[in-house]
């Protein structure tokens, strides 16, 4: 899991407001540079040209942010449609985590150029045919990419596919889109979801250490709450580059933390003891793997 989440299933923050996220081929998105309060006297000579450059930078930045906001909305709608499909076809909602990972990894190779204002419909001659084809599918219908990702996630987790219309826009079938996604991702689609990691790795061992603080008899109730938090992390772009193990551990801590939010102040000491017990359990069982409740990513998720 540790190797896969870092080297295979990691997704860059491709719709971040940080201009460095769009450094494609050494050229980042232009941003307005801060004014130099200690400018030299001879800077006045270039005042007009600098002003023109800053105006251009402002325009480029504004256009880039507008594109980012637009695609963030598109992504959110796509993921919400995944949840609607999962509920409609009585599929485990964990399918959405896998589908979102597949979709994000595909689009992370395309969207940065779009954010920077590059015409992604033009492809160079030295590009692979699969890259050109996936870009072409995206341009014609982003829904086709998202549906292909959802179908592949359903097949990998449930063993059956959703029957979508045979043809999308541009006369490309769902099956053809699925093959493009598989080729682009080198057939690596078994994403370790935060819920599966929390359920099968962290929670069983943590429960043995915190039983004296909380009632752990209803493990399913705890899992339902953890599942809800992990589902929120799928929708939020802030978690795009966060490792699923960090989301899993942070979700567990958040659930136990929230269980004490409505108690009297006299129980605050018990809450601190509980959180300490969780940290000790993680240290005892997982420190040799590099897991810690004090880790930056885990603390962010918590």
């Amino acid at each position: 899991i540790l190797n896969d989440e870092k080297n295979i299933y990691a997704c860059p923050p491709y719709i971040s407001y940080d201009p460095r996220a769009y450094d494609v081929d050494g050229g980042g998105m232009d941003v307005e540079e801060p004014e130099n309060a200690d400018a030299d006297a001879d800077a006045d000579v270039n005042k007009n040209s600098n002003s023109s450059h800053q105006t251009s930078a402002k325009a480029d930045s504004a256009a880039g942010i507008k594109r980012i906001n637009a695609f963030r909305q598109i992504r959110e709608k796509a993921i919400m449609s995944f949840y609607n499909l999962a509920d409609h076809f009585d599929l485990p909602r964990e399918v959405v985590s896998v589908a979102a990972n597949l979709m994000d990894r595909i689009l992370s190779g395309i969207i940065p150029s779009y954010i920077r204002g590059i015409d992604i419909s033009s492809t160079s001659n030295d590009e692979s045919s699969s890259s050109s084809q996936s870009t072409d599918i995206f341009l014609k219908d982003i829904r086709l990419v998202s549906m292909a990702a959802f179908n592949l996630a359903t097949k990998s987790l449930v063993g059956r596919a959703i029957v979508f219309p045979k043809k999308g826009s541009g006369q490309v079938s769902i099956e053809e889109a699925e093959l493009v996604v598989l080729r682009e991702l080198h057939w690596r689609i078994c994403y370790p979801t935060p819920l599966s990691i929390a359920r099968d790795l962290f929670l069983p061992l943590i429960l043995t250490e915190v039983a004296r603080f909380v009632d752990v008899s209803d493990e399913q109730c705890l899992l339902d709450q953890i599942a809800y938090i992990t589902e929120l992390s799928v929708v939020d772009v802030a978690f795009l580059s966060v490792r699923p193990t960090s989301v899993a551990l942070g979700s567990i801590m958040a659930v136990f933390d929230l269980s004490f939010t409505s108690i009297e102040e006299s129980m605050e000491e018990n809450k601190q003891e509980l959180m300490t017990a969780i940290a000790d359990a993680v240290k005892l069982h997982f420190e040799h793997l590099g897991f810690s409740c004090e880790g930056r990513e885990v603390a962010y998720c918590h």
Side-chain angles (χ1 to χ4, degrees):
I1 291 175
L2 288 173
N3 178 68
D4 289 353
E5 70 175 1
K6 292 179 181 178
N7 303 320
I8 297 177
Y9 300 105
C11 183
Y14 68 100
I15 41 179
S16 166
Y17 290 117
D18 187 349
R20 290 171 296 181
Y22 311 104
D23 254 341
V24 181
D25 297 331
M29 185 177 68
D30 291 333
V31 293
E32 181 181 3
E33 298 178 358
E35 295 181 2
N36 186 0
D38 300 321
D40 296 329
D42 59 354
D44 291 335
V45 177
N46 298 320
K47 183 177 181 180
N48 292 335
S49 61
N50 288 339
S51 176
S52 175
H53 170 73
Q54 290 179 354
T55 302
S56 175
K58 286 182 180 179
D60 290 342
S61 298
I65 291 174
K66 185 176 180 179
R67 297 186 192 104
I68 292 172
N69 290 335
F71 189 76
R72 284 188 170 198
Q73 293 179 3
I74 292 173
R75 180 186 180 274
E76 181 177 340
K77 289 180 179 178
I79 293 177
M80 294 309 297
S81 70
F82 289 165
Y83 281 121
N84 291 334
L85 283 170
D87 293 341
H88 178 77
F89 290 102
D90 196 24
L91 300 170
R93 285 188 143 210
E94 204 171 350
V95 165
V96 179
S97 292
V98 179
N101 178 262
L102 301 183
M103 181 182 70
D104 285 329
R105 285 160 59 205
I106 282 289
L107 297 182
S108 66
I110 301 171
I111 296 302
S113 295
Y114 166 73
I115 297 297
R116 294 174 58 216
I118 297 175
D119 182 11
I120 59 178
S121 63
S122 60
T123 56
S124 61
N125 295 329
D126 60 346
E127 288 181 330
S128 65
S129 59
S130 62
S131 298
S132 300
Q133 189 176 4
S134 63
T135 302
D136 186 59
I137 290 176
F138 166 76
L139 287 171
K140 290 177 178 177
D141 194 347
I142 190 174
R143 291 172 298 178
L144 199 57
V145 175
S146 63
M147 286 189 293
F150 185 83
N151 231 14
L152 288 171
T154 305
K155 290 177 181 178
S156 66
L157 283 183
V158 184
R160 62 185 176 92
I162 304 300
V163 179
F164 289 114
K166 287 294 183 181
K167 296 293 182 180
S169 61
Q171 299 301 302
V172 178
S173 69
I174 296 296
E175 290 79 6
E176 291 171 328
E178 289 178 17
L179 287 174
V180 171
V181 171
L182 288 171
R183 283 196 297 265
E184 287 290 304
L185 301 182
H186 306 288
W187 291 74
R188 291 169 173 171
I189 62 174
C190 296
Y191 172 65
T193 67
L195 179 58
S196 67
I197 295 170
R199 179 186 61 230
D200 303 327
L201 182 63
F202 289 131
L203 192 59
L205 293 173
I206 288 177
L207 289 181
T208 62
E209 305 294 333
V210 301
R212 67 183 186 275
F213 296 101
V214 293
D215 180 14
V216 297
S217 58
D218 193 354
E219 185 176 341
Q220 187 57 50
C221 180
L222 290 172
L223 278 174
D224 289 342
Q225 296 177 65
I226 293 170
Y228 176 70
I229 295 177
T230 58
E231 289 169 10
L232 294 178
S233 71
V234 175
V235 181
D236 194 338
V237 296
F239 293 89
L240 264 178
S241 298
V242 178
R243 298 180 300 168
T245 50
S246 297
V247 175
L249 188 53
S251 299
I252 292 174
M253 295 178 64
V255 166
F256 282 113
D257 197 354
L258 290 171
S259 66
F260 278 79
T261 55
S262 59
I263 62 176
E264 299 178 0
E265 291 184 4
S266 59
M267 297 291 289
E268 181 64 26
E269 183 177 348
N270 286 10
K271 174 182 175 180
Q272 295 301 325
E273 291 180 356
L274 169 64
M275 302 311 294
T276 300
I278 294 175
D280 290 342
V282 172
K283 183 177 181 180
L284 174 65
H285 296 289
F286 304 106
E287 185 179 31
H288 65 289
L289 296 175
F291 292 119
S292 170
C293 290
E294 287 77 32
R296 181 179 59 85
E297 279 194 348
V298 175
Y300 174 76
C301 295
H302 178 198

